Amino acid sequence: MKTYSGGCLCGEIRYEVTADPGPSRICWCRDCQRIASNGTANVVFPSAALKVTGTTGQHEKTADSGNTVTRRFCPKCGTQLFSDSTGRQGLTVVRLGTLDDPSSIKPTATIWSASAPSWACIDGALEVFKGPPPSVPHKK
Ligand SMILES: [Zn+2]
Ligand SMILES: [Zn+2]
């Protein structure tokens, strides 16, 4: 197992995670576009393996799936760092761009491509899903 480290723009929030990374995907859902102005690049880790220094702010929203998604960010500089979902207990999404070495984990799929804007750069070499990935339960 490798240790990954990262943090926000201003340095107030730092984190370390020692675990094998789970799925890594680029998400073009409308919520991600609002927080990132683009798609978000993410990786899933076991929540228990994530050690955070500093106090994050958080925002809860009901996703299209019906799950409650809690996004955590730095209250000083606004950097989005983590996301937890009631549909994904025990797992935390980490924003790839906040890693100290963002090349250390590579996305393997694009999700929610149907809501991507016309100018989105979607890598044809990755698996593309129009909606959520098959492993995410999608309740209506
Ligand atoms: Zn910050
Ligand atoms: Zn998204």
Side-chain angles (χ1 to χ4, degrees), residues 43-109:
V43 61
V44 178
F45 277 114
S47 308
L50 180 66
K51 289 181 178 55
V52 181
T53 314
T55 307
T56 51
Q58 64 177 57
H59 176 260
E60 279 185 16
K61 186 174 186 288
T62 304
D64 290 343
S65 56
N67 297 322
T68 301
V69 177
T70 304
R71 295 182 176 80
R72 285 182 278 163
F73 49 87
C74 172
K76 275 196 176 165
C77 68
T79 303
Q80 291 277 343
L81 294 140
F82 315 116
S83 171
D84 298 289
S85 168
T86 52
R88 207 176 44 228
Q89 306 274 4
L91 297 172
T92 294
V93 161
V94 174
R95 308 295 179 198
L96 272 192
T98 65
L99 289 169
D100 292 333
D101 178 7
S103 295
S104 59
I105 297 171
K106 287 184 176 57
T108 57

Side-chain angles (χ1 to χ4, degrees), residues 27-33 40 42 71 111-112:
C27 181
W28 283 101
C29 78
R30 291 292 293 130
D31 289 349
C32 281
Q33 292 179 52
T40 59
N42 309 294
R71 295 182 176 80
I111 59 174
W112 292 104

